[in-house]
Amino acid sequence: LPTLLSEYAVAAIQLKRGAAQQPDTGPVDEVMVAGSQMIAIMRLLTEEYFLAVVLRPTGLVGKARYLMRVHAPALVQELT
């Protein structure tokens, strides 16, 4: 799982850089990858940190995304 999340994080950073070059798309703040065994949601906190949540396929994606968004500012404050 840690290796998989590392690969996803690299993909999220590349997506963010690519979106920055396309002015009409807006910034990439979150990436979600869904598979048959899990759902991984990653939210970029800063240039150095991201928050990842891994759910079962039956998990509450909306609630996870909401909690990540709400708690992200406090996490950034603690990390910087």
Side-chain angles (χ1 to χ4, degrees), residues 4-78:
L4 185 62
L5 288 176
S6 295
E7 293 295 326
Y8 288 165
V10 170
I13 291 167
Q14 289 174 344
L15 280 170
K16 183 174 182 163
R17 288 184 184 145
Q21 295 174 358
Q22 303 295 325
D24 56 340
T25 61
V28 173
D29 297 323
E30 184 179 279
V31 175
M32 182 171 71
V33 179
S36 62
Q37 300 296 314
M38 68 172 195
I39 299 170
I41 307 167
M42 292 165 293
R43 175 173 275 280
L44 297 172
L45 299 176
T46 68
E47 291 293 322
E48 299 172 355
Y49 296 105
F50 70 93
L51 172 63
V53 173
V54 179
L55 304 168
R56 293 186 175 120
T58 58
L60 299 174
V61 173
K63 184 174 183 177
R65 290 181 66 220
Y66 169 76
L67 290 172
M68 291 171 77
R69 183 173 37 87
V70 168
H71 293 286
L75 287 170
V76 170
Q77 187 175 7
E78 289 293 324

